[in-house]
Amino acid sequence: MNFKKDIIRSDFSLWLSPMEDVTNPPFRRICKRFGADVLVTEFVNSDAIVRKIDKSLMKFQYSKMESPLAIQIYGNTEDVMIEAAKIAAEAKPDFIDINWGCPVKKIAGRGAGSGILRDVPKMIRITEGIVKAVNLPVTVKTRLGWDQQSKIIADIAEQLQDTGIVGLSIHGRTRCQLYTGEADWTLIGEVKNNPRIHIPIFGNGDVKTPEDALEMKNKYGVDGILIGRATIGHPWIFREIKHFFETGEHLPPPTIDERVDVCREHLLACIEWKGEGKAIGEMRKHYSTYFRAIPHFKPLRIELLQAKDLEHILELFEKIRTFSY
């Protein structure tokens, strides 16, 4: 199977990078509408998958319009991760993605996510086991290394390729950097331009503007980019990047009415997805960006962040429509 030709169907693809409590089905569908080429679920704990925890299995749900889509799993135990991958494959996503990149202490500290970068043989063994166990393409997302003294991605990329994975996504930071400092794309480019690497290489980190995306594409030659935090409250970024690639020009920003309409749609879909209380709490991280750059908006933003019931929030949305740039 040619992963790019048969699944991604693009020489250069824009991915919605997986983020916990962000890349749920409502947000994925919105990002897809605005141009995201590849979607990935929130990462799912392998232990919880095997134990059939409803909250985790709920993350497997997706619609056909989200294709191509990957279910992303994480963990640190070989047999559990292999069994979890088999269960995930039963949901029939387009591919399975293994998270060897999450830097959060409670995950990396127990050897999952980017914690596996301190035990490369185990990383390779589990990855190979998953590839052999499922009848779907498998990709990996990881980081440059554990810390500044162990940026080992150039070496482990070849080992990961040898396991049979069909694509590799690399975040240009070490685990110890978390999300601080600047992403280092030079090593991502080194992996991509290694003549022994034949699988697609996708880059991640600090893509915030169309100019950033074009630079990473042209300078490092990657097969696509993953966009994470820059999408929060701004799903239009995919549309903006594609327009810039095609024309060299910037699209005008979304109107206030469009911002309100999309944010309202997002909130209502999240409520339908997981209930009013949880949805309202999770949506708060999006509001500042949905309504960024609106003059004199701060008092209403504070009220919006403090609002606890749907009716109040919808009233505030209608007030936002009266603002102007």
Side-chain angles (χ1 to χ4, degrees):
M1 173 182 288
N2 185 315
F3 183 59
K4 286 176 64 177
K5 179 181 178 182
D6 298 331
I7 294 181
I8 296 179
R9 302 184 292 277
S10 171
D11 288 333
F12 186 86
S13 52
L14 302 180
W15 295 46
L16 173 61
S17 190
M19 293 173 283
E20 180 71 359
D21 293 331
V22 175
T23 55
N24 53 32
F27 190 59
R28 294 198 305 262
R29 290 194 292 268
I30 290 171
C31 288
K32 186 71 172 182
R33 191 168 78 236
F34 288 113
D37 296 308
V38 183
L39 304 175
V40 185
T41 66
E42 301 169 82
F43 66 176
V44 195
N45 186 319
S46 293
D47 293 300
I49 295 171
V50 172
R51 290 187 286 121
K52 304 293 179 68
I53 303 299
D54 288 342
K55 181 180 177 181
S56 295
L57 296 179
M58 182 180 176
K59 295 179 181 179
F60 286 2
Q61 297 180 27
Y62 65 94
S63 60
K64 289 183 179 180
M65 65 85 64
E66 296 178 58
S67 181
L69 172 135
I71 290 177
Q72 187 184 77
I73 64 172
Y74 77 94
N76 66 347
T77 305
E78 184 173 359
D79 58 343
V80 173
M81 285 197 69
I82 290 172
E83 181 62 24
K86 291 179 181 178
I87 296 170
E90 292 174 359
K92 298 182 179 180
D94 295 284
F95 60 107
I96 300 292
D97 190 57
I98 306 172
N99 183 316
W100 293 138
C102 179
V104 175
K105 183 177 180 180
K106 68 179 182 179
I107 292 173
R110 58 185 180 87
S114 59
I116 201 74
L117 290 164
R118 293 191 288 184
D119 191 348
V120 173
K122 184 178 182 181
M123 177 194 208
I124 301 304
R125 189 170 64 249
I126 295 176
T127 303
E128 185 172 28
I130 290 174
V131 169
K132 291 179 177 178
V134 300
N135 292 319
L136 289 174
V138 176
T139 58
V140 162
K141 184 181 181 188
T142 190
R143 288 187 167 228
L144 302 180
W146 179 259
D147 56 24
Q148 291 297 110
Q149 289 70 47
S150 60
K151 291 184 176 181
I152 57 175
I153 188 60
D155 294 325
I156 64 173
E158 290 190 44
Q159 296 181 59
L160 286 166
Q161 177 177 260
D162 289 344
T163 67
I165 64 170
V166 298
L168 175 63
S169 301
I170 305 168
H171 186 114
R173 290 182 172 86
T174 65
R175 183 273 156 187
C176 289
Q177 281 183 273
L178 300 176
Y179 296 100
T180 63
E182 293 185 1
D184 178 4
W185 278 70
T186 58
L187 287 176
I188 301 175
E190 182 178 325
V191 172
K192 172 58 190 173
N193 294 293
N194 178 348
R196 293 184 296 275
I197 292 291
H198 56 78
I199 60 174
I201 301 298
F202 307 98
N204 183 209
D206 292 348
V207 175
K208 303 173 184 176
T209 66
E211 287 88 349
D212 293 337
L214 187 61
E215 178 183 3
M216 303 317 175
K217 178 179 185 288
N218 291 341
K219 188 173 182 179
Y220 301 104
V222 291
D223 297 279
I225 53 176
L226 285 75
I227 309 173
R229 288 173 291 169
T231 69
I232 296 175
H234 196 78
W236 298 275
I237 190 169
F238 300 102
R239 178 176 73 182
E240 293 166 351
I241 289 172
K242 288 186 173 181
H243 182 82
F244 188 77
F245 280 11
E246 292 172 2
T247 68
E249 299 177 352
H250 287 276
L251 280 171
T255 65
I256 290 178
D257 277 338
E258 185 177 14
R259 291 174 183 270
V260 171
D261 288 342
V262 173
C263 186
R264 187 179 188 278
E265 173 193 349
H266 187 178
L267 171 61
L268 294 177
C270 281
I271 288 173
E272 184 178 353
W273 172 248
K274 59 173 50 182
E276 185 170 320
K278 290 183 179 179
I280 287 173
E282 289 183 9
M283 280 294 296
R284 288 177 181 137
K285 65 174 65 71
H286 293 268
Y287 292 146
S288 293
T289 317
Y290 265 124
F291 305 118
R292 180 173 51 196
I294 298 177
H296 314 298
F297 180 69
K298 184 177 179 180
L300 192 56
R301 177 177 62 83
I302 293 172
E303 189 175 357
L304 188 60
L305 292 173
Q306 293 174 341
K308 296 180 179 179
D309 67 85
L310 177 60
E311 184 177 356
H312 185 193
I313 294 171
L314 295 180
E315 289 174 356
L316 294 174
F317 285 170
E318 294 310 306
K319 287 184 180 179
I320 294 171
R321 291 187 194 277
T322 68
F323 282 66
S324 59
Y325 289 114

